[in-house]
């Protein structure tokens, strides 16, 4: 294997695929990045066996030569060292060549690195995925779907299926749901597909978070292919594979109340900032704050850590309809939900102090956030 | 106590004094910030008993009212909570008042915090320092003196005196020296003083690092007052006290070689970047790299981690004078030294492979860096 490549373009790809590389693994070869040079360009692969990322660098792009492949071949190099080396190369071009077995020379200017490579034949193959049935989402919408749901997954392994986000796709619609059983985030969107097939899968939250980091903010389509145990996200130069979580995702639709007893419409920013202040003195590890209606136009937000002090603040609402209410909840859950919602006004629909309550943007039902209150009153 | 104050100005002072506040302490009151309102303004104090910082906010500055003191008095508030609360206040002004014993109300807009304060009488007094003999340094020079020496202090408590920087002041000159016994950094400067008295003290490295963080980059003078066991740094609105380290600082002058056998003059940036690359494969916890002269104009920098790989690079020098040389040293020490030096060209003076070597800016002897080599050849 021998090729000359633009350093910055190589670095970009290394930093994409290294997100999948395991720092600890039972398979030592997975601490490496696989590099393959072919007649069409250079492919880098990183994997921790849950997530695999493949980045392709073409010979040229927009008429500029990026890679000059002088001899095809492959090698696996230690990811951490290779990444640091590429970052610090002195010139804009670098030559990478395998010499003497697996010994790999990295030359740039007068600097000459020699790394002990590993046999690329030992590197596990990525899943083979037939691209028959494909779904397509614009990159920016995909990132929004992830951002608005993934924060609500469970961080506990007690029910592993809750560490993922449930994706239901069918009838031209995708519904993403995440819950840690104390709160729930749901987002719907239109989706393009070449198939009538419907899907109901659970994608690990960690995979979606990593995917989100390497996607740009364009409106270019991301092609999504779902199989029994894998999902593939495909962009112009990237393949991102994640395993799916096994097990049935709970039916969350019955959790979502269809009626409410108290509806509050309030400015999102005012409400978020007030909850932020109350959270400073939120009690206990659940960071509990209290909300109560004051007449028909104000709500009072308060909290209290007995040994430190307390805070109380009235927030003016747009409208309050229905019964008087006193309720307590986790301030962090509320702040997460408010940050995920879009729009200047939100509607909070309560069904009494002990029932889950809904938070939605005022004129947008594509997204909802649900929080279970905490018993304090 | 009752006053109204500009939030941003209060926050600035809180963030200065909180740098001295201990997170863990045997004296619970030191986890607080002491606030004193008087007829001239508001004073905040933070301390961990090693370092104490006092910040003064005057009633007005440049004709703008900053504080309106309605009732003088003092209180101690939990630093961490007070800092977070001030950060999140909704309006640009805040009213702080002590009511009902030590209970302190913090009001801004519709938000009303009530914190359980502590009796300011219980707060330890800051050292009383007579300002008879004073030394003066411009702020930016003081920060440079600190930056160029403090990195070389010892992080081990085996010889506590080496965790500080030795300051010798006399004859209108200050000499700052730091060493961890493997390397040494020394910087001299002219200093203004109203006294003939000379000083030889050791200031904790941590104190100097914290001091550096709260000083601005102006040329305004910092007044320095040194006593038997304390040093005071005084700027327009800040007092920074640090205890001095006890014990005799070792005589380091005999460590500094007066003759050399090999002198290399090289571009600082080229040399630093080459050492940076070699450090990626520097061996062992000492991150060892090797340097050897190649003829009369090049040096070779190399390193090697047997199981990973190696790197070799030739760097062109300005001149090499004297004997051929092969030497090994800690790459991090060399990078620290090169970053501390100013100037585009540096001179490295070696006295054989086993003797300490000197690094200096080419035309500036106010500063020197000394590194002990590692035995590998």
């Amino acid at each position: 294997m021998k090729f000359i490549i633009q350093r910055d373009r190589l670095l970009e790809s290394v930093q994409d695929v290294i997100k999948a590389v395991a720092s600890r693994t039972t398979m030592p070869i997975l601490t490496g990045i696989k590099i393959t040079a072919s007649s069409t360009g250079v492919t880098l692969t990183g994997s921790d066996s849950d997530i695999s990322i493949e980045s392709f660098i073409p010979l040229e792009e927009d008429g500029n030569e990026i890679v000059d492949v002088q001899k095809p071949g492959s090698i696996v190099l230690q990811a951490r060292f290779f990444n640091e080396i590429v970052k610090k190369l002195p010139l804009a071009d670098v030559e990478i060549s395998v010499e003497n077995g697996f010994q790999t020379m990295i030359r740039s200017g007068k600097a000459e690195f020699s790394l002990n490579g590993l046999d690329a034949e030992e590197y596990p193959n990525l899943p083979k995925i037939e691209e028959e049935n494909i779904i397509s989402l614009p990159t920016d919408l995909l990132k929004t779907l992830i951002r608005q749901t993934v924060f609500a997954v469970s961080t506990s392994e007690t029910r592993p299926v809750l560490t993922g986000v449930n994706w239901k796709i069918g009838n031209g619609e995708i519904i993403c749901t995440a819950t840690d059983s104390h709160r729930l985030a749901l987002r719907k969107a239109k989706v393009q597909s070449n198939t009538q097939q419907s899907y109901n899968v659970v994608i690990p939250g960690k995979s979606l978070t990593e995917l989100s980091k390497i996607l740009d903010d364009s409106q270019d389509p991301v092609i999504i292919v779902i199989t029994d145990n894998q999902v593939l996200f495909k962009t112009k130069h990237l393949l991102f594979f994640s395993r799916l979580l096994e097990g049935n995702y709970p039916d969350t639709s019955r959790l979502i109340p269809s009626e409410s007893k108290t509806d509050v419409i309030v400015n999102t920013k005012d409400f978020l900032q007030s909850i932020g202040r109350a959270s400073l003195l939120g009690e206990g590890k659940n960071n509990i704050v209290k909300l109560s209606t004051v007449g028909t136009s104000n709500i009072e937000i308060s909290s209290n850590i007995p040994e430190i002090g307390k805070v109380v603040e009235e927030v003016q609402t747009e409208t309050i309809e229905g019964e008087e209410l006193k309720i307590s909840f986790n301030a962090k859950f509320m702040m997460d939900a408010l940050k995920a919602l879009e729009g200047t006004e939100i509607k909070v629909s309560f069904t009494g102090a002990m029932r889950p309550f809904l938070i939605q943007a005022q004129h947008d039902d594509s997204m909802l956030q649900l929080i279970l209150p905490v018993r304090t009153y």
Side-chain angles (χ1 to χ4, degrees), chain A:
Chain A
M1 187 189 82
K2 183 172 181 181
F3 62 87
I4 296 168
I5 190 166
Q6 287 182 12
R7 181 197 52 190
D8 290 350
R9 193 58 188 268
L10 176 63
L11 182 59
E12 209 178 285
S13 282
V14 170
Q15 305 220 312
D16 278 346
V17 304
I18 206 170
K19 293 193 171 62
V21 174
S23 49
R24 290 175 192 183
T25 168
T26 47
M27 285 180 69
I29 202 161
L30 290 185
T31 61
I33 288 175
K34 181 178 163 192
I35 304 170
T36 303
S38 74
S39 58
T40 56
V42 170
T43 305
L44 304 188
T45 310
S47 177
D48 67 357
S49 76
D50 282 349
I51 300 174
S52 303
I53 303 174
E54 192 176 292
S55 173
F56 178 70
I57 306 166
L59 298 183
E60 60 166 56
E61 203 169 59
D62 305 331
N64 297 316
E65 185 176 45
I66 302 167
V67 190
D68 174 16
V69 175
Q70 297 174 354
K71 192 177 165 196
S74 354
I75 193 74
V76 175
L77 298 180
Q78 287 299 314
R80 191 167 63 84
F81 287 97
F82 186 55
N83 180 37
E84 290 301 320
I85 288 169
V86 174
K87 264 192 222 168
K88 294 205 171 179
L89 291 173
L91 297 189
D93 282 317
V94 49
E95 180 196 283
I96 299 180
S97 62
V98 178
E99 300 169 7
N100 303 328
F102 302 121
Q103 196 181 343
T104 305
M105 305 304 297
I106 303 170
R107 294 186 180 93
S108 179
K110 287 182 180 167
E112 185 176 284
F113 289 86
S114 158
L115 286 185
N116 306 332
L118 295 167
D119 186 357
E121 294 293 321
E122 305 287 324
Y123 197 86
N125 288 319
L126 295 193
K128 290 262 177 289
I129 289 190
E130 295 291 333
E131 295 183 24
E132 255 175 58
N133 297 332
I134 64 173
I135 299 145
S136 170
L137 280 171
T139 308
D140 53 357
L141 176 59
L142 174 59
K143 285 179 80 168
T144 304
L145 293 180
I146 294 172
R147 181 178 67 78
Q148 291 176 331
T149 52
V150 76
F151 67 86
V153 301
S154 172
T155 52
S156 145
E157 286 292 334
T158 322
R159 289 182 66 187
V161 79
L162 294 187
T163 63
V165 180
N166 179 217
W167 280 25
K168 283 187 189 166
I169 302 169
N171 301 320
E173 190 183 52
I174 177 168
I175 304 176
C176 308
T177 309
T179 180
D180 61 5
S181 74
H182 302 288
R183 42 117 170 234
L184 177 147
L186 181 149
R187 168 71 203 252
K188 299 180 199 175
K190 297 269 169 243
V191 68
Q192 293 207 323
S193 172
N194 70 349
T195 163
Q196 291 303 314
Q197 200 181 331
S198 63
Y199 300 92
N200 186 348
V201 296
V202 186
I203 306 174
K206 180 171 176 295
S207 300
L208 292 171
T209 303
E210 293 302 325
L211 172 64
S212 203
K213 285 184 198 159
I214 65 173
L215 291 176
D216 58 29
D217 291 310
S218 73
Q219 298 192 312
D220 296 343
V222 178
I223 302 300
I224 305 169
V225 187
I226 297 172
T227 70
D228 284 350
N229 55 13
Q230 291 279 337
V231 55
L232 163 63
F233 298 89
K234 192 175 166 184
T235 68
K236 196 173 173 197
H237 293 309
L238 275 178
L239 300 181
F240 184 104
F241 298 85
S242 168
R243 75 180 171 96
L244 296 173
L245 289 176
E246 288 175 16
N248 291 320
Y249 201 79
D251 176 17
T252 54
S253 60
R254 61 189 172 73
L255 290 176
I256 299 162
S258 50
E259 292 181 333
S260 65
K261 294 184 178 168
T262 314
D263 288 338
V264 178
I265 295 175
V266 63
N267 178 282
T268 315
K269 195 177 154 200
D270 290 350
F271 190 46
L272 175 59
Q273 291 185 343
S274 174
I275 298 286
R277 283 187 282 274
S279 76
L280 297 177
L281 297 172
E283 198 179 349
K285 70 174 175 53
N286 286 329
N287 198 359
I288 297 167
V289 302
K290 296 179 183 184
L291 179 154
S292 53
T293 54
V294 182
T296 55
S297 66
N298 280 357
I299 49 177
E300 184 188 272
I301 310 293
S302 63
S303 64
N304 172 26
I305 304 179
E307 60 274 28
I308 305 293
K310 58 190 177 193
V311 52
V312 56
E313 178 170 358
E314 282 201 7
V315 179
Q316 195 170 352
T317 68
E318 205 63 35
T319 61
I320 301 180
E321 285 179 3
E323 301 176 3
E324 283 186 14
L325 178 81
K326 285 180 191 288
I327 195 167
S328 301
F329 49 82
N330 181 315
K332 180 176 180 299
F333 288 175
M334 180 59 93
M335 290 190 285
D336 286 346
L338 294 174
K339 285 176 195 162
L341 289 163
E342 283 155 351
T344 51
E345 305 262 301
I346 52 130
K347 179 176 168 185
V348 194
S349 309
F350 300 95
T351 322
M354 298 317 304
R355 304 289 304 277
F357 58 93
L358 270 185
I359 312 150
Q360 287 185 284
Q362 202 189 350
H363 301 293
D364 178 6
D365 65 352
S366 71
M367 184 175 14
L368 67 84
Q369 305 284 340
L370 183 126
I371 297 175
L372 271 70
V374 179
R375 190 187 297 259
T376 58
Y377 278 108

